[in-house]
């Protein structure tokens, strides 16, 4: 009759459950954005890294999300600050998107181009053929630029190869 019978073994032995077929017309239509997604190189990696730095305390609502600003992605838990420059990101004005377990997926970090579209209330990301949407977080992200020094007398610039070599060496050193 179009229903699906699922049999599985649980704590009480063999179980049978019937999943009733539902008409797709009963579900509401998903309101997709009415605009163009702008592909941004490096945004997937920045989001997957930033999600590990978001605050999880509900009392600190303004830093539970990820800030997308012109040329950068920023996140903080109040103790650590994550900032990654993403030159292709032309997000003006700054928007604060909610953190999502979706951002921690390996596929997102490996995706070369992630499309972004933002309206007044919602942000949308397009990763391959998957579209993620979320309501923007209201509130103001802390002024992180104040704590980053404008200049530094002692600076060290490392190439990507040097950083990889350093990580490899540090991993083999004893505590």
């Amino acid at each position: 009759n179009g229903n699906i019978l699922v049999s599985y073994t649980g704590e009480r032995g063999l179980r049978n459950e019937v999943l009733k077929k539902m008409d797709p017309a009963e579900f509401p239509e998903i309101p997709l954005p009415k605009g163009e997604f702008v592909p941004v190189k490096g945004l997937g990696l920045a989001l997957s890294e930033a999600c590990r730095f978001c605050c999880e305390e509900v009392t600190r609502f303004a830093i539970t999300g990820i800030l997308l600003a012109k040329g950068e992605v920023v996140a903080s838990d109040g103790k650590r600050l994550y900032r990654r420059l993403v030159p292709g990101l032309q997000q003006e004005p700054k928007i604060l998107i909610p953190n999502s377990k979706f951002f921690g997926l390996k596929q997102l970090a490996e995706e070369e181009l992630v499309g972004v579209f933002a309206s007044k209330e919602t942000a949308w990301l397009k990763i391959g053929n998957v579209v993620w949407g979320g309501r923007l977080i209201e509130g103001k992200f802390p002024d992180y630029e104040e704590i980053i020094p404008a200049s530094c007398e002692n600076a060290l610039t490392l190439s990507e190869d040097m950083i990889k070599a350093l990580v490899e060496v540090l991993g083999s050193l004893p505590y």
Side-chain angles (χ1 to χ4, degrees), residues 139-161:
K140 187 174 182 321
F141 195 83
D143 192 3
Y144 61 94
E145 293 165 327
E146 279 188 9
I147 63 169
I148 300 173
S151 64
C152 181
E153 290 178 21
N154 303 317
L156 176 64
T157 303
L158 300 173
S159 69
E160 189 172 335
D161 291 336

Side-chain angles (χ1 to χ4, degrees), residues 19-175:
L19 300 178
K20 296 188 188 228
K21 184 178 172 184
M22 296 181 72
D23 183 6
E26 292 180 27
F27 293 92
E29 189 175 322
I30 298 172
L32 293 174
K34 307 220 182 326
E36 293 293 319
F37 284 92
V38 178
V40 179
K41 186 175 184 173
L43 181 58
L45 178 61
L47 289 171
S48 70
E49 291 174 348
C51 72
R52 293 179 276 175
F53 290 85
C54 291
C55 185
E56 294 181 9
E57 294 177 43
V58 292
T59 58
R60 305 185 77 187
F61 198 63
I63 59 174
T64 58
I66 300 170
L67 182 71
L68 301 182
K70 187 172 183 168
E72 62 187 6
V73 172
V74 183
S76 177
D77 60 4
K79 299 173 187 81
R80 305 170 297 160
L81 176 69
Y82 170 86
R83 179 181 179 222
R84 186 185 233 336
L85 300 179
V86 183
L89 184 60
Q90 299 299 316
Q91 185 58 52
E92 283 293 334
K94 296 176 180 179
I95 59 171
L96 193 53
I97 63 173
N99 186 16
S100 170
K101 291 188 184 339
F102 176 71
F103 297 151
L105 294 176
K106 184 180 176 188
Q107 294 88 331
L108 180 64
E110 294 173 349
E111 187 69 34
E112 187 172 327
L113 292 174
V114 172
V116 63
F117 175 82
S119 66
K120 290 182 180 180
E121 298 176 350
T122 314
W124 298 88
L125 300 172
K126 186 171 185 182
I127 300 97
N129 61 355
V130 176
V131 176
W132 174 92
R135 291 184 68 94
L136 298 179
I137 295 176
E138 294 180 19
K140 187 174 182 321
F141 195 83
D143 192 3
Y144 61 94
E145 293 165 327
E146 279 188 9
I147 63 169
I148 300 173
S151 64
C152 181
E153 290 178 21
N154 303 317
L156 176 64
T157 303
L158 300 173
S159 69
E160 189 172 335
D161 291 336
M162 293 170 77
I163 292 172
K164 286 178 183 176
L166 181 62
V167 168
E168 194 173 303
V169 168
L170 288 175
S172 64
L173 292 175
Y175 294 104

Side-chain angles (χ1 to χ4, degrees), residues 3-22:
N3 294 332
I4 299 171
L5 177 66
V6 178
S7 297
Y8 62 94
T9 304
E11 292 177 4
R12 298 181 185 165
L14 183 65
R15 307 268 315 209
N16 291 316
E17 298 286 340
V18 176
L19 300 178
K20 296 188 188 228
K21 184 178 172 184
M22 296 181 72

